[in-house]
Amino acid sequence: MPPEATHDYFMRLALNQAKIAKAHGDVPIGAIIVRNGVVIGRGRNQREEKNDPTAHAEILALRDAAEQIGDRRLIHCSLYCTLEPCIMCAGAIVHARIEHLYYGASDPKAGGVESLYQILEDSRLNHQVLVHAGFFREECERLLKEFFDRLR
């Protein structure tokens, strides 16, 4: 595993993706997928840029990773994202078989992981994901707050 392969390193990469989304006029959310310490997928919110309601950072990172490895099952992979995934993204994370989710800010209005629903840990589904919340929470929250403050 590369020496830089730490949770902090990968969350910083996700934050960089969020900043790129912000620069393109999208809500600043970023996601990174890692397998064996190597980034295999990147995504940033592109809903406005692509006029696509499904162009969430997590979905785009999942697509990128699946394409990179040639398999829709992202076994032994971790997903790092700046905001708690919504229910759509949480469902996709389960279907992709992500092993670990690390996220920054909670989403009390649309969170599908812990805030409103607990999709990733639902024992009725055929796969559960280990959830690690609060990574770089303050920085992730600040980025979102600054973005929405500018819109008002």
Side-chain angles (χ1 to χ4, degrees):
M1 213 182 310
E4 71 273 2
T6 66
H7 298 304
D8 288 1
Y9 174 76
F10 296 126
M11 276 305 290
R12 291 231 173 267
L13 292 178
L15 275 162
N16 286 341
Q17 289 296 310
K19 290 172 185 174
I20 294 169
K22 180 181 176 185
H24 285 89
D26 266 289
V27 176
I29 302 169
I32 297 291
I33 297 179
V34 176
R35 178 188 272 175
N36 299 324
V38 177
V39 174
I40 62 167
R42 297 174 191 270
R44 59 181 169 83
N45 245 22
Q46 292 184 280
R47 293 181 312 162
E48 301 300 326
E49 190 176 342
K50 293 185 175 208
N51 289 315
D52 180 352
T54 68
H56 289 207
E58 302 92 329
I59 298 294
L60 298 176
L62 291 168
R63 289 177 184 163
D64 186 33
E67 186 175 324
Q68 293 301 317
I69 67 167
D71 193 344
R72 67 178 177 83
R73 291 179 190 90
L74 302 176
I75 308 292
H76 306 300
C77 291
S78 295
L79 171 61
Y80 294 80
C81 59
T82 57
L83 183 67
E84 175 184 0
C86 71
I87 58 174
M88 174 185 70
C89 293
I93 290 166
V94 168
H95 286 296
R97 308 297 194 271
I98 292 290
E99 189 171 341
H100 292 268
L101 167 69
Y102 300 86
Y103 74 86
S106 294
D107 188 351
K109 293 183 179 180
V113 175
E114 292 183 315
S115 294
L116 296 179
Y117 301 95
Q118 296 76 43
I119 293 169
L120 301 187
E121 297 171 329
D122 191 325
S123 63
R124 296 171 295 178
L125 300 174
N126 65 340
H127 177 74
Q128 288 77 46
V129 179
L130 298 170
V131 175
H132 314 274
F135 281 83
F136 289 76
R137 180 182 53 81
E138 290 177 10
E139 193 169 346
C140 294
E141 286 175 350
R142 184 172 42 256
L143 189 60
L144 288 162
K145 183 179 180 334
E146 289 170 0
F147 177 82
F148 287 112
D149 283 351
R150 276 195 200 170
L151 292 179
R152 294 181 186 128

